[in-house]
Every structure is written in C-alpha cells, then in structure tokens.
Amino acid sequence: MDNKFWTYEDQAVELTLEWAKERTVSGSDPKTTALSAKELREKVGQTITDDGLGPKKALEIFETLNRATRSADDPMNFAYIPSAPTKAAVAFDEVVSAANVFGGIWECGAGAIFAENQVIDWIKENLDWPDEAVGTFVSGGTHGNLSALACARDHAKNVWKNKGKYPNGRPSDGYKLIISKDTHSSVKTIAKVLDVDVLTAETDENGRMTGKAIEKLINENEGIFAVVATTGTTNTGSIDHIESISKVCKKYNIWLHIDGAYGGAGILAPSVRDLYKGIEDADSFIVDPHKWLFAPYDCCCLVYRSPKNVYHTFSQHAEYLDGVDHSQSNPSDMAIHLSRRTRGLPLWYSLVTYGRKKYTEAIELCIANAKKCAKAIKNTDHLELVMEPSLSIVVFKRKGWEKEDYDAWSKNLALNGKLLCLPSSIDGETILRLAFLNPNTDIDKAIDMIIETTK
C-alpha cells in the first residue's frame, strides 16, 4: 500500500537528478545572461498554482529561467569573482542535499562535521596556525566576516572590562574598526550591523594597507577593537602588507582579521606565499571555497586562531538545547548560526578525490595565466596595464575609450556567448578587469579575443 502524502515524488527525483547529471557533465551555456522581471514574467507567467504543474512542467520552466542567468563556471567568464567548482564538488553537493544532515551540532552531524574539520585542519596547516585553532563553514564571506568581527568586538569588550579601561567594556564614543578604502564593501555594512565606527587607512601606490598607516590611526583614536586586512582585494587582487600590520596589531593588542574571501586561497601557492607573511599571527581568517577553491556556492571557511573567546560569543543556550554537549566541536558555537547544512563537504570530497597537490597546481596555473595575459597586454599598442597582478586578477584599460565604449564592448561579447568581462573603476576611472579563477580556461584563446576585439 502506498502511504506517500506527496504525489509525483519518484518522477520528480528521476527528472531532476538526470538534469543535474547532464548539466554537471556537459558544463555551462556561455550565452546565458540576465533578463528583466517583466521579460521573465512574459516567458513563464505565474508558476505557483493551487494544484501544481507537475515535475516535468516545473523543470521546463526552470530551464527557461536558468537561461536568464550568467554562467559563473564558464571558462570564459572573468567577471566579478567567478566560481569554477570541480565536477566532483558539484556532484557531491547533490549528495549533501540528499543526506540532509543537520550540521549545527555534533550529535546530529558528527560524521559530516568530522569531514569538514579535516578541511579546516588543512587550512590551519597552510596558515601555520596552532592545533587548537577552530573553524566552521558559513554561507559566504559577509557571514564569515560578520561572525569574526562580532567575536573580535566581544573579545575587546571583555579585555577592556577586566582591565577597567572603559565602563562595561564599551568606549564612550563607541567601538572602532580599521579598514582600507579597498576593503570589501560588505565590511561597512557589517559595521552598521555591529554598531561600530569605521576608520579608513591610507594605502600605498600598490593599493596595500600597511602597518604604518594603521598605527597612525591607532595613535589618533580610542576604542579600536580590530583591523581588517585583505589578502586579494576584489577589484584588483592587491594584498595588504600583512607582516607589518600583524606586528602593529600585536604591539597594541588589537584583533587582526584577514579577509581572504577571494585571495586567501593563494596561501596554497608557493610562488606567492611570501606575500602572506604575518598571517600566522592573525586572530581570524576567512576564505570562500566557492571562489578560488573550486567548490560550488555557497561556502565560506571561517577559522579562529584561538577558541578562547569564540565559544563565549556564540554558544546558544535554551531549554531545548540543554542536552547539547558543548565540549564537542559544534559549528553552532563558532559563528552566527544554528541551523546549517554541511556545506563544507563538497570541498572535502573534491580534496579527497583529487588531492592537495592538484589544488596547488590549479591555483598556480591561474596565477600564471594572469601573468601571461598581463604580459600580452603590455605588448600591445592600444591597451594599457593598470598594475602588475598580485594574484590572478588583471586590471587594464583601452586607450581612448570612454565608459560607453567599455559598456558596449562588454555587452556585445556577453550576448554572443564569447567572453564575460565587466567594466569596473579605480578612483573614478573606468577600467576592465579579468579574474582568472578557472584552470580550464584556454588562456591563448582568451588573450587573442581580448586583444582583437578591443582594437
């Protein structure tokens, strides 16, 4: 006797898994791009009805909707910070959903959390952090930065309170956070959420924040609880001078958080590892595997050097949680979350499948591709390299072009499914940026297309 409440279940599973398998194997459609809400409404109409449309019709509608998106994983997508997950990671994300593990507390998700923690250990090893360091996976860099800075603020409050520096540990004119002008825009939003003020440090000619710049602000202001340094800015890939910044933070006992959402993966590449000197002394660190560690959306790895203040900040206590064993490695004790999927598992599966060396080789290849592209641009008469790439982002401009020219060039290539490269700006000047995060990119094809189409 069939006691299933839901209809169509077997057909829905078969259809969707087959679609997912075909998409995973075949790859993306580079011609896809955004449509307006009006255009989409005209194409699909009202999709949610009283009696349902059935799985086959629902999937047909999704096909139409999916064609109105940009392909983040296409090898010729260099816009924003694209995602280039391994096929193994994408496929295992389906396993994660099917397993439906509650990954908030150890007793519910012990095996899955154990696997995630092995990835955390791998990150810790490359940061040269102590064994006691702890971490978890959250949805993205904004969530990771928010949790780390909430912990940093709580830590400062406790220190200042114990030392009697401020009443109740709170400065009379509020908490202050140091960033640079190129720090990710989400950090300013996080400052609003945490009710803290932002101090912006000067950067040098290479777009880097330095220890000298933050020390000046420290000497001029009270109530600074943290500094956010960036290893790979979104716009240019610049890396702040971590070594000098970490020394100043240690001198003044100020929390150093590293936003490595994009460029943090560079710690795996020997060719650029010297750029990360001082990271071993930071207090917290994030990297987004859905950016340059070849995992699907959405995934951010958040690590704390010392667990001392982490559990005090985040552990949740309620009647229905009285039975939770907080001596175990509970992800809910390490960030602003309770319910969570075990989103670190696709990266774990991919790492287990391909091995650590393959990851290093993939990141090094992306760096080499960026350098090769930068060299080719410098050898042209009509293009100008804005700065030498630190990691895998190439910033350049076309001599004589205005913003309208850049926009037209970008739109034409995107709509024809040839290449995705969106204009950006530096200090108000329009530029083009290429983010090389996909080891499957045909670099010679990409370079030829960029040079020829901009003539």
Side-chain angles (χ1 to χ4, degrees), residues 97-146:
S97 293
N100 197 33
V101 174
F102 175 76
I105 56 179
W106 183 267
E107 65 175 327
C108 292
I113 296 169
F114 175 84
E116 288 184 314
N117 286 346
Q118 290 205 330
V119 181
I120 299 291
D121 289 343
W122 174 62
I123 298 292
K124 286 159 46 178
E125 178 186 341
N126 283 282
L127 289 170
D128 196 21
W129 280 12
D131 290 340
E132 68 172 357
V134 296
T136 185
F137 289 89
V138 294
S139 61
T142 300
H143 195 172
N145 286 335
L146 173 61

Coordinates of all heavy atoms in Angstrom, one line a residue, residues 97-146:
S97 N 22.7 17.5 -0.2 CA 21.3 17.8 -0.1 C 20.5 16.6 0.2 O 19.6 16.6 1.0 CB 20.8 18.5 -1.4 OG 21.4 19.8 -1.6
A98 N 20.8 15.5 -0.5 CA 20.1 14.2 -0.3 C 20.3 13.7 1.1 O 19.3 13.2 1.7 CB 20.5 13.2 -1.3
A99 N 21.5 13.8 1.6 CA 21.8 13.3 3.0 C 21.0 14.1 4.0 O 20.6 13.6 5.1 CB 23.3 13.4 3.3
N100 N 20.8 15.4 3.7 CA 20.0 16.3 4.6 C 20.5 16.3 6.1 O 19.7 16.1 7.0 CB 18.6 16.0 4.5 CG 17.7 17.1 5.0 OD1 18.0 18.3 4.8 ND2 16.5 16.7 5.5
V101 N 21.8 16.4 6.3 CA 22.3 16.4 7.6 C 22.2 17.8 8.3 O 22.5 18.8 7.7 CB 23.8 16.0 7.6 CG1 24.5 16.1 9.0 CG2 24.0 14.6 7.0
F102 N 21.7 17.7 9.5 CA 21.7 19.0 10.3 C 23.2 19.1 10.9 O 23.6 18.3 11.7 CB 20.7 18.9 11.5 CG 20.8 20.1 12.4 CD1 20.3 21.3 12.0 CD2 21.4 20.0 13.7 CE1 20.3 22.4 12.9 CE2 21.5 21.1 14.5 CZ 21.0 22.3 14.1
G103 N 23.8 20.2 10.4 CA 25.2 20.3 10.7 C 25.5 21.4 11.8 O 26.6 21.9 11.9
G104 N 24.5 21.7 12.6 CA 24.7 22.7 13.6 C 25.4 22.2 14.9 O 26.2 22.9 15.5
I105 N 25.1 20.9 15.3 CA 25.7 20.4 16.5 C 26.2 19.0 16.2 O 25.7 18.2 15.3 CB 24.7 20.3 17.6 CG1 23.4 19.5 17.2 CG2 24.3 21.7 18.1 CD1 22.4 19.4 18.4
W106 N 27.2 18.6 17.0 CA 28.0 17.4 16.7 C 27.1 16.1 16.8 O 27.2 15.2 16.0 CB 29.1 17.3 17.8 CG 30.0 16.0 17.6 CD1 29.8 14.8 18.2 CD2 31.1 15.9 16.7 NE1 30.8 14.0 17.8 CE2 31.6 14.6 16.9 CE3 31.8 16.8 15.9 CZ2 32.7 14.2 16.2 CZ3 32.9 16.4 15.2 CH2 33.4 15.1 15.3
E107 N 26.2 16.0 17.8 CA 25.4 14.8 18.0 C 24.5 14.5 16.8 O 24.1 13.4 16.6 CB 24.6 14.9 19.3 CG 23.5 15.9 19.3 CD 22.7 15.9 20.5 OE1 22.5 14.8 21.0 OE2 22.2 16.9 21.0
C108 N 24.2 15.6 16.0 CA 23.3 15.4 14.8 C 24.1 15.1 13.6 O 23.6 14.4 12.7 CB 22.4 16.6 14.6 SG 21.2 16.8 15.9
G109 N 25.3 15.6 13.5 CA 26.1 15.6 12.2 C 27.5 15.2 12.4 O 28.4 15.6 11.6
A110 N 27.8 14.3 13.4 CA 29.2 14.0 13.8 C 30.1 13.6 12.6 O 31.2 14.2 12.4 CB 29.2 12.9 14.8
G111 N 29.6 12.7 11.8 CA 30.5 12.2 10.7 C 30.7 13.3 9.7 O 31.9 13.5 9.2
A112 N 29.7 14.1 9.3 CA 29.9 15.1 8.3 C 30.7 16.2 8.9 O 31.6 16.8 8.2 CB 28.5 15.7 7.9
I113 N 30.5 16.6 10.1 CA 31.3 17.7 10.7 C 32.8 17.2 10.9 O 33.7 18.0 10.7 CB 30.7 18.1 12.1 CG1 29.3 18.7 11.9 CG2 31.6 19.1 12.8 CD1 28.6 18.8 13.2
F114 N 33.0 16.0 11.2 CA 34.4 15.4 11.2 C 35.1 15.6 9.9 O 36.2 16.0 9.8 CB 34.3 13.9 11.6 CG 35.7 13.3 11.5 CD1 36.5 13.3 12.6 CD2 36.1 12.6 10.4 CE1 37.8 12.7 12.6 CE2 37.4 12.0 10.4 CZ 38.2 12.0 11.5
A115 N 34.4 15.3 8.8 CA 35.0 15.5 7.5 C 35.2 17.0 7.2 O 36.3 17.4 6.7 CB 34.0 15.0 6.4
E116 N 34.3 17.9 7.6 CA 34.5 19.3 7.4 C 35.7 19.8 8.2 O 36.5 20.6 7.7 CB 33.3 20.1 7.9 CG 32.1 20.0 6.9 CD 31.0 20.9 7.4 OE1 30.6 20.9 8.6 OE2 30.4 21.6 6.6
N117 N 35.9 19.2 9.4 CA 37.0 19.6 10.2 C 38.4 19.2 9.7 O 39.4 19.8 10.0 CB 36.8 19.0 11.6 CG 35.8 19.7 12.5 OD1 35.3 20.8 12.1 ND2 35.3 19.1 13.5
Q118 N 38.4 18.2 8.8 CA 39.6 17.8 8.2 C 40.0 18.9 7.2 O 41.2 19.1 7.0 CB 39.5 16.4 7.5 CG 39.4 15.3 8.5 CD 39.9 14.0 8.0 OE1 39.8 13.7 6.8 NE2 40.4 13.1 8.8
V119 N 39.0 19.5 6.5 CA 39.3 20.6 5.7 C 39.8 21.8 6.5 O 40.8 22.5 6.1 CB 38.1 21.0 4.8 CG1 38.4 22.2 3.9 CG2 37.5 19.8 4.0
I120 N 39.2 22.1 7.6 CA 39.7 23.1 8.5 C 41.1 22.9 8.9 O 41.9 23.8 8.9 CB 38.8 23.2 9.8 CG1 37.3 23.5 9.4 CG2 39.3 24.2 10.7 CD1 37.1 24.9 8.9
D121 N 41.5 21.7 9.2 CA 42.8 21.3 9.6 C 43.8 21.6 8.4 O 44.9 22.1 8.7 CB 42.9 19.8 10.0 CG 42.3 19.5 11.3 OD1 42.0 20.5 12.1 OD2 42.0 18.4 11.6
W122 N 43.4 21.4 7.2 CA 44.2 21.6 6.0 C 44.4 23.1 5.9 O 45.6 23.6 5.6 CB 43.5 21.1 4.8 CG 44.1 21.4 3.5 CD1 45.3 21.0 3.0 CD2 43.4 22.1 2.4 NE1 45.5 21.4 1.7 CE2 44.3 22.1 1.3 CE3 42.2 22.7 2.2 CZ2 44.0 22.7 0.1 CZ3 41.9 23.3 1.0 CH2 42.8 23.3 0.0
I123 N 43.4 23.9 6.1 CA 43.5 25.4 6.1 C 44.5 25.9 7.2 O 45.4 26.7 7.0 CB 42.2 26.1 6.2 CG1 41.2 25.7 5.1 CG2 42.3 27.6 6.3 CD1 41.7 26.2 3.7
K124 N 44.3 25.3 8.4 CA 45.1 25.7 9.6 C 46.6 25.4 9.3 O 47.5 26.2 9.6 CB 44.7 24.9 10.8 CG 43.4 25.4 11.4 CD 42.7 24.4 12.3 CE 43.7 23.7 13.3 NZ 43.0 22.7 14.1
E125 N 46.8 24.3 8.7 CA 48.2 23.9 8.3 C 48.9 24.9 7.4 O 50.0 25.2 7.6 CB 48.2 22.5 7.7 CG 49.6 22.0 7.3 CD 49.5 20.6 6.5 OE1 48.4 19.9 6.7 OE2 50.4 20.3 5.8
N126 N 48.1 25.3 6.4 CA 48.7 26.3 5.4 C 48.8 27.7 6.0 O 49.5 28.5 5.5 CB 47.8 26.3 4.2 CG 48.1 25.0 3.3 OD1 49.1 25.0 2.6 ND2 47.2 24.0 3.4
L127 N 48.0 28.0 7.0 CA 48.1 29.3 7.7 C 49.3 29.3 8.7 O 49.7 30.3 9.3 CB 46.8 29.6 8.5 CG 45.6 30.0 7.6 CD1 44.4 30.0 8.5 CD2 45.8 31.3 6.9
D128 N 49.8 28.0 9.1 CA 50.8 27.9 10.1 C 50.2 28.3 11.5 O 50.8 28.9 12.3 CB 52.0 28.6 9.8 CG 53.2 28.2 10.7 OD1 53.2 27.0 11.2 OD2 54.2 28.9 10.8
W129 N 48.9 27.9 11.7 CA 48.3 28.2 13.0 C 48.3 26.9 13.9 O 48.5 25.8 13.4 CB 46.8 28.5 12.7 CG 46.6 29.9 12.2 CD1 47.6 30.8 11.8 CD2 45.4 30.7 12.2 NE1 47.1 32.0 11.5 CE2 45.7 32.0 11.7 CE3 44.1 30.3 12.4 CZ2 44.7 32.9 11.5 CZ3 43.1 31.3 12.2 CH2 43.4 32.6 11.8
P130 N 48.2 27.1 15.2 CA 48.3 26.0 16.2 C 47.2 25.0 16.1 O 46.1 25.3 15.5 CB 48.3 26.8 17.5 CG 47.5 28.0 17.3 CD 47.9 28.5 15.9
D131 N 47.4 23.9 16.6 CA 46.4 22.8 16.6 C 45.1 23.2 17.2 O 44.0 22.7 16.9 CB 46.9 21.5 17.2 CG 48.0 20.9 16.4 OD1 48.1 21.2 15.2 OD2 48.8 20.1 17.0
E132 N 45.1 24.1 18.2 CA 43.9 24.5 19.0 C 43.0 25.4 18.1 O 41.8 25.6 18.5 CB 44.3 25.2 20.2 CG 44.9 26.6 20.0 CD 45.1 27.4 21.3 OE1 44.7 26.9 22.4 OE2 45.7 28.5 21.2
A133 N 43.4 25.9 17.0 CA 42.6 26.7 16.2 C 41.3 26.0 15.7 O 41.4 24.7 15.5 CB 43.4 27.2 14.9
V134 N 40.2 26.7 15.6 CA 38.9 26.1 15.3 C 38.3 26.8 14.2 O 38.6 27.9 13.9 CB 38.0 26.0 16.5 CG1 38.6 25.2 17.7 CG2 37.7 27.5 17.0
G135 N 37.3 26.1 13.5 CA 36.6 26.8 12.4 C 35.4 26.1 12.0 O 35.1 25.0 12.5
T136 N 34.7 26.7 11.1 CA 33.4 26.1 10.6 C 33.2 26.7 9.2 O 33.9 27.6 8.7 CB 32.2 26.4 11.5 OG1 31.1 25.7 11.1 CG2 31.9 27.9 11.6
F137 N 32.1 26.2 8.6 CA 31.7 26.7 7.3 C 30.4 27.5 7.4 O 29.4 27.0 8.0 CB 31.6 25.6 6.3 CG 32.9 25.0 5.9 CD1 33.4 23.9 6.6 CD2 33.6 25.4 4.8 CE1 34.6 23.3 6.3 CE2 34.8 24.9 4.5 CZ 35.3 23.8 5.2
V138 N 30.4 28.7 6.8 CA 29.2 29.5 6.8 C 28.9 29.8 5.3 O 29.5 29.3 4.4 CB 29.3 30.8 7.6 CG1 29.5 30.5 9.1 CG2 30.5 31.6 7.1
S139 N 27.8 30.6 5.0 CA 27.3 30.8 3.7 C 28.2 31.6 2.7 O 28.2 31.3 1.5 CB 25.9 31.4 3.7 OG 26.0 32.7 4.3
G140 N 28.9 32.6 3.3 CA 29.7 33.4 2.4 C 30.6 34.3 3.2 O 30.6 34.3 4.4
G141 N 31.4 35.1 2.4 CA 32.4 36.0 3.1 C 31.8 37.0 4.0 O 32.3 37.3 5.1
T142 N 30.6 37.5 3.6 CA 29.9 38.5 4.5 C 29.6 37.9 5.8 O 29.8 38.5 6.9 CB 28.6 39.0 3.8 OG1 29.0 39.7 2.6 CG2 27.9 40.0 4.7
H143 N 29.0 36.7 5.8 CA 28.7 36.0 7.0 C 29.9 35.6 7.8 O 29.9 35.7 9.1 CB 27.9 34.7 6.7 CG 27.2 34.0 7.8 ND1 26.3 33.0 7.6 CD2 27.2 34.3 9.1 CE1 25.9 32.6 8.8 NE2 26.4 33.4 9.7
G144 N 31.0 35.2 7.2 CA 32.2 34.9 7.9 C 32.8 36.1 8.5 O 33.3 36.1 9.7
N145 N 32.9 37.2 7.8 CA 33.5 38.5 8.3 C 32.6 39.0 9.5 O 33.2 39.5 10.5 CB 33.5 39.6 7.2 CG 34.6 39.3 6.2 OD1 35.6 38.7 6.5 ND2 34.5 39.8 5.0
L146 N 31.3 38.9 9.4 CA 30.4 39.3 10.4 C 30.7 38.6 11.7 O 30.8 39.1 12.8 CB 28.9 39.2 10.0 CG 27.9 39.4 11.1 CD1 27.9 40.8 11.6 CD2 26.5 39.1 10.5

